[in-house]
Amino acid sequence: MSDTITDTHGKSVNRLAMMLVLLVGVFSVMLMQTSLGTAQPALMKAFDVNASTVQWLTTIFLMANGIMVPVSAFLTTRIPTKTLYLSALSLFTAGTFLAFMTPTNAFWLLMVARVLQAMAVGVLMPLMQVVSLTLFDAESRGKAMGLGGLVVGMAPAIGPTLSGWILEKNHTFLGFTLQNSWRSIFLIDLPVVIIVIIASFFVFHDVLPTRNISLNVRSLIESTFGFGLLLFGFAMVSTHGWGDLGWVILPLVAGILIIAEFMWHQSRMEKPFLDMSVFKNRQFTITTILVSLAMMSMIGVEMILPIFLQNIRGMTPLHSGLTLLPGALMMGLISPLAGAFYDKHGAKRLAITGFTILIIGTLPLFYMTADTPSIYITALYTLRMFGIAMVMMPLTASAMGALSPETAAQGTAANNTMRQIASSLGTAILASMMQSVTDNNKPSSALKGQDPLEWAQKMIDATLKGFHASFLLAASFAIVAVIIAFTLHSGKVNTPSKMEASK
């Protein structure tokens, strides 16, 4: 296969150079999704806010990201590829610079900056998948999506470790000192994104055909409020519990009702804002469900395990991040190999094997104690990420391969929307399970005054039971996925790329 193709204007495109710029750019912006987790204590001190307030920096990022994903299909269809990519990167740069410059008496401004960052990520992530499908033909599509796995898996996993390294101490290189400040988390990302923007002017091209479609305002409002309220309700579960009427139940019910109306409205439109008819394709639906289950298991444990390492094992944020870092590296190593395997054999065998490995890597977490060696935890987490890497991008490539070129953008938006909802749902379920089991097993407050040491030990035991329950639930997601994987189409599903179809 030639490294050079032509864009929608007939100009020559170096697909490898364009793919490299695309991957580096999306990787850089996705680092910000999880980077502030380890910086929360520093942010609480700097802005003089409590833990529930500072958590909004992550919550609002996930909400804005999820809201933008359905909009991405319209933007990809309406705006030329290069213009959309550069606009999203510029929006991210503006948000990152605003975050870096935010005065410590304006916490609301930092939240605005996070929204701008998340809006950019919500556009760039689906765009990366659609462009990958377009740049490479059906025979090499798995490899391209496997490279995308480097971004999807590694960036969110490396973010907390990178932040922990920055906050550990000052770092000096090439005569420049990077301060151990929360501002440096934003500063370190800016030069890379700016370099990508400059390079994009030379190697990025309009490879996706566009058409002049109008924005349906009703659909945009329904999409924004429906998915926004649903994601908000899930995000509030860990803080308020499933039974809270105002913060959880009402937002979830309202979100579901609005989404139901949104879906009915889309089915009646000649040119829908988000084409839900892609779910009529059996292969697309099954693979999307499997990807969602993988995300629920991956994101949920990624959130729970660092809390275990820091609260039970007493690790620092940096050390807990380093404990999980080999897992992120494993995902980066295996994703391209899994993509190459998919190109030859399809997704079914990969999915069954990958989810089985995920089960094997998750079930032993149920037996962890406060004395479990760190190397054992690292090995299990790395094994989990090995399994997830085997399924994530191959299943996504299979889902997209089952659709026609004309519905690729809509399918990508639908697939990513489901993944975003699944991530929020998985985090909410595992966090609430952990908290609920802990609360049901914790000792009485009277024991604290009578025997503080026994109370402390029983409190640790109760917390461990909470973690065990959440890990067991994460394993159940993988067990369900293995069963569903047997219904997948055997072999590889191929549809021509847009460029192939236009020939």
Side-chain angles (χ1 to χ4, degrees), residues 234 242 288-304 355 358 362 384 388 391-392 417-431 470-478 480-481 484:
F234 286 143
W242 287 98
T288 299
I289 291 172
L290 290 174
V291 168
S292 298
L293 288 169
M295 289 296 293
M296 290 174 72
S297 183
M298 181 180 78
I299 297 296
V301 173
E302 277 187 355
M303 184 271 294
I304 295 291
F355 280 118
L358 181 57
T362 305
R384 292 187 81 256
I388 290 172
V391 304
M392 190 66 71
T417 299
M418 291 298 295
R419 287 169 57 169
Q420 191 70 25
I421 293 173
S423 298
S424 299
L425 178 59
T427 300
I429 292 176
L430 264 63
S470 62
F471 292 141
L472 187 61
L473 186 59
S476 71
F477 297 151
V480 172
I484 297 175

Side-chain angles (χ1 to χ4, degrees), residues 448-461:
K448 187 175 183 179
Q450 298 170 3
D451 191 339
L453 290 178
E454 184 181 356
W455 180 88
Q457 183 57 51
K458 288 190 174 182
M459 193 65 206
I460 291 176
D461 292 340

Side-chain angles (χ1 to χ4, degrees), residues 9 11 34 112 114 121 124 133 164 169 215 235 257 300 302 319 369 413 440 447-448 461 497:
H9 310 293
K11 296 180 180 179
T34 56
V112 171
R114 291 291 282 169
V121 175
L124 288 170
L133 291 171
K169 63 179 181 179
L215 177 64
L257 290 175
E302 277 187 355
H319 289 159
T369 68
N440 291 337
L447 182 62
K448 187 175 183 179
D461 292 340
S497 71

Side-chain angles (χ1 to χ4, degrees), residues 245-304:
L245 180 64
W247 289 99
V248 177
I249 296 176
L250 287 180
L252 287 177
V253 171
I256 291 171
L257 290 175
I258 295 173
I259 291 173
E261 203 288 326
F262 169 78
M263 293 175 66
W264 178 84
H265 181 213
Q266 300 310 296
S267 68
R268 311 276 293 185
M269 294 176 63
E270 182 180 349
K271 295 180 179 179
F273 180 79
L274 182 63
D275 191 357
M276 306 304 291
S277 66
V278 292
F279 288 104
K280 294 179 181 179
N281 185 303
R282 179 179 177 274
Q283 182 76 4
F284 176 84
T285 300
I286 293 175
T287 49
T288 299
I289 291 172
L290 290 174
V291 168
S292 298
L293 288 169
M295 289 296 293
M296 290 174 72
S297 183
M298 181 180 78
I299 297 296
V301 173
E302 277 187 355
M303 184 271 294
I304 295 291

